[in-house]
Amino acid sequence: MAESAVIFQESDLHLRGRVVLDAARTGEARLRDGDGLSLLVIPEHRFRSAMSIVQATANLMSVEQMLDTAPEQWSVRDYGDWTWLRVFDSEDLTEFVHEMRTALLVAAREGSDKPVAETLERWQLTAQQLADPVRRSILLGVPPLSEEDFVEVARPE
Amino acid sequence: MPESAYQPFEPARRPGGKPQRKPAYRVLVHRRYAHLWAELPQRIGLESAQQFYDHVAFSPGTVSPINRTTLLAGKAGRPWADGFSRTVHYEISGAGRINYQYNDAYTYGATGDAHRVVVILTIELASH
């Protein structure tokens, strides 16, 4: 995003507050404090989204580094904030990394953390389903499922 | 003589809600969760249980207008056999979660006619 050409001064906050706010609402407002420090006012959702993308990138890099080592060396710290990933094996984690890279790319380009949040939500939901041993066994097909494993049911009455 | 609305050889309309249609999909449940299926009306309420059944019996591949559906990620989302969908996770708000797959042309034992089938893999119900 291109930097704003207008730099507001401290006095503009009092004399032209509405103009400063409108600049911030539509993109960004650059302010120069009395000591020369440059400040940036942007919509909160843009800041939170950017921070979320940065945080996710750091977590992803940690998981990627972990995948470069043998599974026996993996520690819960390697998952960063995503400790729930520990239920997945290396094959699933590789798929997760691939999906997250795509989500982060779209999020960064479009300035919204929504693709990242959606991807994380889907994987976290899956991790929750795999946490139970019986569900895990059936969902992963270990042992393989067969037709005899199922019974027909009718509409609940 | 005006035609009467009374037709003596046609069954009367079903009282109460809309009449049941023939399901488009056979619905199967994994044996490990058959007991939870039987408990569904008591655990999540008859209306929610029927809403879920109607969803999978008629349109398992669509987004539920009532409850949230998500595709599971990774290997847990893979089809268990050829022709099956990825695993759909159906969430009944605050009451339970059901994972299922569907197949629009399933042939039982590779000998029967192809038909539509839904397999409910797992059922998780909230504690009492």
Side-chain angles (χ1 to χ4, degrees):
Chain A
M1 186 175 191
E3 288 182 10
S4 170
V6 179
I7 300 177
F8 295 103
Q9 305 300 315
E10 183 183 0
S11 58
D12 289 324
L13 290 174
H14 307 292
L15 301 173
R16 302 197 295 153
R18 186 68 255 167
V19 177
V20 175
L21 287 174
D22 285 345
R25 289 174 67 93
T26 56
E28 62 181 41
R30 297 177 69 195
L31 285 161
R32 176 98 3 111
D33 204 353
D35 63 357
L37 180 68
S38 182
L39 302 167
L40 197 62
V41 184
I42 62 172
E44 181 176 352
H45 70 86
R46 272 188 54 208
F47 173 77
R48 304 258 176 234
S49 193
M51 291 307 294
S52 171
I53 292 169
V54 168
Q55 194 66 34
T57 303
N59 283 322
L60 183 64
M61 290 174 74
S62 182
V63 175
E64 285 178 319
Q65 283 181 340
M66 181 187 80
L67 284 171
D68 285 339
T69 64
E72 307 82 64
Q73 297 176 355
W74 296 355
S75 145
V76 75
R77 289 191 299 274
D78 295 325
Y79 298 99
D81 293 334
W82 303 330
T83 51
W84 44 267
L85 281 174
R86 67 190 183 281
V87 303
F88 296 111
D89 64 11
S90 58
E91 187 181 347
D92 269 344
L93 287 172
T94 302
E95 189 174 331
F96 168 78
V97 165
H98 179 76
E99 282 189 28
M100 277 302 293
R101 281 181 184 166
T102 304
L104 278 166
L105 190 64
V106 174
R109 291 278 184 263
E110 299 181 1
S112 164
D113 65 343
K114 194 175 173 190
V116 173
E118 287 175 349
T119 304
L120 285 174
E121 193 177 354
R122 198 163 65 87
W123 279 89
Q124 194 163 13
L125 173 69
T126 305
Q128 186 264 336
Q129 290 300 292
L130 292 177
D132 175 81
V134 176
R135 283 201 303 268
R136 181 184 184 86
S137 157
I138 293 171
L139 290 171
L140 296 181
V142 182
L145 297 172
S146 75
E147 292 164 343
E148 285 68 39
D149 288 325
F150 297 96
V151 290
E152 187 163 1
V153 292
R155 190 174 195 255
E157 296 290 350
Chain B
M1 183 177 169
E3 190 175 342
S4 169
Y6 174 63
Q7 300 293 327
F9 302 113
E10 287 188 7
R13 279 192 176 179
R14 179 174 178 264
K18 60 186 176 185
Q20 287 184 32
R21 293 171 288 159
K22 186 174 183 297
Y25 288 77
R26 282 178 70 208
V27 181
L28 310 176
V29 174
H30 194 285
R31 290 180 187 280
R32 293 294 297 262
Y33 293 97
H35 67 291
L36 286 184
W37 177 266
E39 293 175 11
L40 271 189
Q42 291 77 43
R43 300 283 295 274
I44 68 172
L46 181 60
E47 187 180 357
S48 291
Q50 290 179 335
Q51 280 170 353
F52 171 73
Y53 178 86
D54 291 345
H55 172 71
V56 292
F58 292 100
S59 53
T62 63
V63 174
S64 166
I66 300 161
N67 289 298
R68 186 163 162 241
T69 52
T70 312
L71 293 179
L72 290 189
K75 288 190 287 190
R78 290 182 189 167
W80 77 275
D82 287 345
F84 278 87
S85 67
R86 288 189 64 86
T87 307
V88 181
H89 179 82
Y90 183 99
E91 188 174 345
I92 304 158
S93 184
R97 299 163 179 274
I98 300 176
N99 294 307
Y100 69 86
Q101 297 184 1
Y102 60 93
N103 186 336
D104 288 339
Y106 180 65
T107 309
Y108 183 82
T111 55
D113 293 335
H115 61 278
R116 295 173 171 181
V117 69
V118 167
V119 291
I120 295 170
L121 298 167
T122 69
I123 300 174
E124 177 190 5
L125 300 179
S127 306
H128 291 291

